[in-house]
Amino acid sequence: MGTRTTPLDATEHELTLGVPEESEPAANSLDDQALIEDIISKIILVIDDLSGHPLRPYQLPLARRILESLITEDSAKITALWSRQSGKSETVADTVVGAAIMLPRLAKLFPKLLGKFAEGLWVGVFAPTDEMSETLFTRITGRLTSERAQDVLADPDIDDKLITRGKLLRLKRCGSHIRKQTAHPKAQIEGQTYHLVIIDEAQAADDKVLNKSIAPMLSSTAGTLCMTGTPSYTKNGFYEQIQKNKREANRKGRKTDHFQVDWKEVSKHVPRYRKFVESEKERLGEESDEFKLSYRLIWLLDKGMLVTSDRFDALGDVSMRVVQEWHRSPVVVGIDPARKADSTVVTVCWVNWDYPDEYGYFEHRVLNWLDLTGMDWESQYYRIVDFLNHYNVFAIGIDAGGLGDVVASRLRVLMPYAQIVDLKSDRTNQTKRWAHTMDLMSKGLVIWPAHAKTRQTKNWRRFRQQMEDAELTYQGPHIIVAAPEVDAAHDDYVDSLANALYLTADIAMPEAEMHNSPW
């Protein structure tokens, strides 16, 4: 490499210092984590040297997570939803090239941890069409054929050579190869084995091809799947995986597998990008479909979702925190009793009884939630009563039928001062409930706390996730709102909120003293 000093010059010494090969820790042990982090950091240094500039702060987490998943064999399904021209392809390409060069080399030093890369890193680059896959593959090819990469490959410690054959890039000595393939439904693509599969423009990928043909290519290697793209008008496997990754991130000890970068985040680090997008915003309009999809990362699913992320943010009051106690005016409460894996959720809503709008609708504000998970019902009753004693409860709405009947009967005994309302659960009555909820939200008459500290709480994160997950469907004259039929998706917070809101549609207004709103 001449006189130019690169991270490669120190990599082997630094990684092996104090960790001789014969004492290499067992893969995935607690002692191994520090070594894994060190390996990742050294590969990042190589990536930065190959590209000629460090990864930007918003690029680094995605690169590190891909490397971590490859090393730990956790078979992660990583999603990246980034605005157009934000450096997504560059990040993935740099990470793939750095890993293809370094992992086989490091496998000789740490055979227990990285032994599966002894014959190379195998990468498949897919997109819905062959033309789409060309974008990322060209970026990878350009990085591997660059002068910097050639210097690295010529280093005596690396001593490798790039061989290009149409849709295949191969490092001759270490065995790493990167193959471009299409994810088109009519393509015959079975038969390959990969450690890492990248699906670019995943919003347009065919779910059947992904699940039947592509994902099994990772089975024998416990490989990593990385899906990248931008929003669309319809749901698909990419959207569902994003939602799943967001839900899983709320669980204790789980890794972050979704990485979202909108134009504002990129603009903090790339002034020219801000300048261009600002001009596009003026040309297209901030509320245009094109700008929402390409730069604001908004899925345009209005006809199929109860509330979009954009609408959810609009209904949140960033100055409002949860209210732990309220006795100045009557509140309404909705309870969704737990069924099997679900949680019992109690939602308390303040109502502006004194100022209905011209149609008789009241403003509602969510004051607080109680989430009871994994608790027997005898204990739940008293937790609910204790929680609601902090509020001036006017009425409590509970789904009638099944467990709801039992809960309502018990609370009538424990809380004789409150109206316990049985809400029928047949489709006709559910339609009325959801129609009322949707009317209130469309008029901006449902508001929830969104203070920065509130947004950090587990209850708020679950509330947001379930509200944005809730699917809206029409079956004849009926409206049905429910969680998607996927693992870890629930609608307890959604049902609980709807039960509380419907109480103001069917119950006579209570007498309340005049008071100033605290908001």
Side-chain angles (χ1 to χ4, degrees):
M1 272 193 250
T3 60
R4 187 164 65 91
T5 301
T6 77
L8 288 168
D9 299 327
T11 296
E12 182 172 354
H13 171 69
E14 293 177 6
L15 287 175
T16 56
L17 186 61
V19 190
E21 185 172 325
E22 58 271 20
S23 64
E24 178 194 353
N28 297 324
S29 68
L30 291 177
D31 294 338
D32 202 35
Q33 190 58 43
L35 175 62
I36 292 172
E37 291 298 322
D38 195 30
I39 290 173
I40 293 172
S41 295
K42 294 303 186 296
I43 296 177
I44 292 295
L45 290 176
V46 174
I47 289 172
D48 290 345
D49 187 65
L50 285 167
S51 65
H53 57 79
L55 291 171
R56 299 185 183 109
Y58 64 86
Q59 295 174 309
L60 192 57
L62 174 60
R64 293 189 69 93
R65 182 67 185 105
I66 293 173
L67 294 171
E68 179 187 41
S69 179
L70 287 170
I71 294 169
T72 61
E73 296 186 7
D74 61 6
S75 300
K77 310 297 185 289
I78 300 169
T79 52
L81 190 71
W82 291 22
S83 62
R84 291 290 182 187
Q85 299 298 311
S86 56
K88 167 176 55 66
S89 296
E90 178 186 26
T91 305
V92 174
D94 290 349
T95 305
V96 166
V97 171
I101 293 174
M102 294 304 300
L103 286 178
R105 177 172 179 249
L106 294 171
K108 298 176 182 179
L109 304 176
F110 307 103
K112 293 180 182 178
L113 185 64
L114 303 174
K116 71 175 183 178
F117 303 116
E119 296 180 3
L121 173 70
W122 310 328
V123 182
V125 176
F126 293 83
T129 66
D130 193 59
E131 184 179 355
M132 286 181 173
S133 64
E134 186 68 28
T135 302
L136 178 56
F137 189 73
T138 299
R139 187 66 62 91
I140 294 172
T141 302
R143 189 64 77 217
L144 272 172
T145 56
S146 68
E147 182 179 347
R148 286 178 171 272
Q150 293 305 306
D151 284 347
V152 169
L153 293 176
D155 185 278
D157 289 331
I158 300 295
D159 188 24
D160 217 326
K161 181 180 180 181
L162 175 66
I163 299 175
T164 60
R165 291 181 179 174
K167 298 181 179 181
L168 179 67
L169 302 173
R170 185 166 67 89
L171 293 175
K172 183 177 181 180
R173 183 180 179 191
C174 72
S176 290
H177 62 258
I178 302 153
R179 179 180 282 107
K180 182 186 74 167
Q181 294 190 257
T182 177
H184 194 278
K186 294 183 179 181
Q188 299 296 319
I189 56 176
E190 288 87 351
Q192 301 298 331
T193 298
Y194 296 116
H195 297 113
L196 173 64
V197 163
I198 308 292
I199 302 180
D200 200 19
E201 302 297 343
Q203 74 278 1
D206 183 271
D207 291 350
K208 186 175 180 180
V209 174
L210 169 61
N211 297 325
K212 178 181 177 295
S213 301
I214 299 177
M217 296 178 180
L218 298 165
S219 56
S220 65
T221 62
T224 299
L225 174 67
C226 180
M227 306 169 70
T228 67
T230 51
S232 181
Y233 291 92
T234 57
K235 291 183 179 180
N236 70 343
F238 182 47
Y239 175 87
E240 299 294 350
Q241 189 63 50
I242 289 173
Q243 299 305 109
K244 181 178 181 180
N245 286 350
K246 286 182 177 180
R247 289 191 294 269
E248 291 296 322
N250 291 330
R251 295 186 178 184
K252 186 176 181 180
R254 299 306 293 262
K255 297 286 186 181
T256 297
D257 283 332
H258 178 60
F259 301 87
Q260 188 156 318
V261 179
D262 64 12
W263 76 275
K264 292 182 179 179
E265 179 63 28
V266 181
S267 297
K268 295 176 184 178
H269 309 280
V270 189
R272 289 190 182 93
Y273 188 84
R274 172 183 288 277
K275 184 177 180 181
F276 175 78
V277 178
E278 289 284 5
S279 68
E280 286 293 277
K281 182 168 67 172
E282 183 176 346
R283 182 177 73 88
L284 300 172
E286 189 173 9
E287 296 302 318
S288 66
D289 287 1
E290 295 83 358
F291 195 83
K292 287 181 178 179
L293 292 168
S294 297
Y295 301 108
R296 296 178 64 188
L297 305 183
I298 297 174
W299 292 81
L300 300 181
L301 308 173
D302 303 68
K303 294 183 179 180
M305 307 297 293
L306 176 65
V307 60
T308 63
S309 59
D310 199 37
R311 186 60 179 156
F312 183 93
D313 290 337
L315 294 174
D317 185 343
V318 295
S319 67
M320 180 184 174
R321 305 188 188 194
V322 294
V323 179
Q324 305 286 353
E325 190 159 352
W326 183 264
H327 292 282
R328 283 189 274 172
S329 62
V331 300
V332 292
V333 178
I335 298 179
D336 183 58
R339 297 173 182 83
K340 296 183 180 179
D342 294 336
S343 304
T344 293
V345 174
V346 182
T347 301
V348 180
C349 289
W350 173 85
V351 183
N352 192 358
W353 301 106
D354 300 322
Y355 297 99
D357 70 3
E358 57 184 316
Y359 302 105
Y361 289 102
F362 302 100
E363 178 188 339
H364 301 68
R365 285 179 177 260
V366 175
L367 297 184
N368 204 354
W369 303 274
L370 174 66
D371 187 331
L372 301 174
T373 305
M375 181 182 294
D376 65 274
W377 262 107
E378 283 302 314
S379 301
Q380 287 193 31
Y381 291 128
Y382 294 99
R383 283 289 305 276
I384 291 172
V385 172
D386 181 64
F387 175 72
L388 294 180
N389 279 340
H390 294 278
Y391 302 92
N392 178 6
V393 178
F394 169 59
I396 302 173
I398 306 173
D399 281 325
L403 186 59
D405 289 339
V406 179
V407 176
S409 298
R410 191 65 178 274
L411 289 182
R412 284 191 177 95
V413 175
L414 297 174
M415 302 181 67
Y417 48 85
Q419 292 190 52
I420 308 297
V421 181
D422 297 304
L423 301 174
K424 296 180 180 180
S425 56
D426 60 276
R427 287 195 172 181
T428 299
N429 281 281
Q430 282 195 20
T431 295
K432 293 179 181 178
R433 198 143 68 239
W434 292 121
H436 182 67
T437 298
M438 291 163 64
D439 280 345
L440 290 175
M441 289 197 298
S442 67
K443 297 176 186 297
L445 295 176
V446 182
I447 300 168
W448 35 77
H451 188 276
K453 291 188 176 180
T454 299
R455 296 197 302 270
Q456 297 173 10
T457 64
K458 183 183 295 183
N459 284 354
W460 190 91
R461 294 199 304 269
R462 288 179 174 174
F463 172 67
R464 172 164 198 157
Q465 188 64 59
Q466 293 188 19
M467 289 292 287
E468 293 185 7
D469 276 351
E471 296 180 344
L472 172 66
T473 57
Y474 295 88
Q475 295 186 2
H478 301 301
I479 299 173
I480 298 174
V481 176
E485 295 181 0
V486 295
D487 292 341
H490 302 280
D491 52 19
D492 317 303
Y493 282 83
V494 184
D495 287 338
S496 177
L497 175 62
N499 291 347
L501 298 178
Y502 194 59
L503 295 176
T504 65
D506 268 7
I507 293 180
M509 182 177 66
E511 292 185 6
E513 296 180 358
M514 294 288 289
H515 62 87
N516 292 325
S517 166
W519 299 283

